[in-house]
């Protein structure tokens, strides 16, 4: 059953005002905006810079996005962001010649 979140009155004779938003919805929108705009919101907080360097090296090596994403439990879109320098552009790729970090 569809519930109109903008409708505040159950009376069928009164039309709902589309400009009137419930307080619950207003607080939700405010909290969502604060989260998105907060400086604490950083992509991939659970990965260290060393892991990001290894991911970048695996991208350069030609590993599939899906394999890398599955290994680190991240979205394939974040792999593309790393590849094109949209996030963590300052982190250089690791040297994968060492067998212990080859993944």
């Amino acid at each position: 059953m569809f519930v109109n979140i903008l409708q505040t009155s159950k009376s069928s004779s009164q039309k709902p005002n589309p400009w009137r938003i419930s307080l619950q919805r207003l607080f939700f929108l405010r909290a969502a905006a604060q989260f998105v705009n907060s400086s604490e919101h950083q992509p991939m907080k659970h990965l260290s810079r060393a892991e990001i360097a290894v991911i970048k090296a695996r991208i350069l090596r030609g590993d599939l996005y899906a394999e890398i994403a599955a290994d680190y439990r991240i979205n394939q879109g974040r792999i593309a962001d790393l590849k094109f320098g949209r996030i963590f552009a300052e982190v250089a790729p690791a040297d994968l010649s060492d067998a212990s970090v080859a993944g």
Side-chain angles (χ1 to χ4, degrees):
M1 183 170 120
F2 177 74
V3 178
N4 186 351
I5 61 171
L6 297 176
Q7 186 174 359
T8 58
S9 173
K10 296 208 183 247
S11 172
S12 61
S13 63
Q14 185 181 16
K15 290 184 181 179
N17 184 350
W19 299 104
R20 184 174 184 138
I21 298 176
S22 70
L23 285 176
Q24 181 181 12
R25 179 75 174 151
L26 184 64
F27 286 129
F28 170 76
L29 292 173
R30 189 173 121 202
Q34 286 175 349
F35 174 74
V36 170
N37 295 329
S38 72
S39 60
E40 298 154 4
H41 178 67
Q42 297 174 359
M44 301 188 307
K45 292 193 276 193
H46 65 282
L47 294 179
S48 68
R49 292 193 176 277
E51 290 172 317
I52 291 169
V54 171
I55 291 171
K56 285 186 170 190
R58 289 182 65 185
I59 292 168
L60 292 175
R61 185 172 68 181
D63 289 6
L64 296 175
Y65 283 14
E67 292 175 359
I68 300 170
D71 289 345
Y72 292 95
R73 293 180 179 224
I74 58 175
N75 187 304
Q76 292 181 40
R78 300 301 72 79
I79 303 295
D81 289 343
L82 286 170
K83 178 179 180 179
F84 295 111
R86 291 188 286 256
I87 56 175
F88 296 105
E90 70 279 1
V91 178
D95 180 18
L96 292 183
S97 61
D98 184 17
S100 64
V101 294

